[in-house]
Amino acid sequence: MKVRYAGESFYSGLGLTNGKVYVVDKKGPFYRIIDDSGEDYLYSKTNPAPLDGSSKGGY
């Protein structure tokens, strides 16, 4: 499945970028997304954002 991230970009070149399409795999309440770093990470389905609170995230 693919999704388009809409929200504040974070971790330039390593996180998620506003308007970019990502390949995802559903894992319970999370999406496993191959982000800009090329690695896969779990992100919230309702508000994908960094865990350190450095960005408000998106949807």
Side-chain angles (χ1 to χ4, degrees):
M1 178 168 104
K2 293 183 180 182
V3 296
R4 181 178 310 274
Y5 174 70
E8 184 176 299
S9 300
F10 57 91
Y11 297 152
S12 180
L14 299 174
L16 300 177
T17 303
N18 185 42
K20 188 170 179 181
V21 175
Y22 294 93
V23 174
V24 302
D25 183 23
K26 294 179 186 177
K27 295 290 181 187
F30 300 97
Y31 283 141
R32 182 175 300 279
I33 299 175
I34 299 174
D35 64 14
D36 296 341
S37 71
E39 299 292 325
D40 60 293
Y41 292 97
L42 294 176
Y43 289 97
S44 166
K45 288 181 180 178
T46 57
N47 183 29
L51 294 176
D52 66 5
S54 62
S55 169
K56 64 181 179 177
Y59 52 94

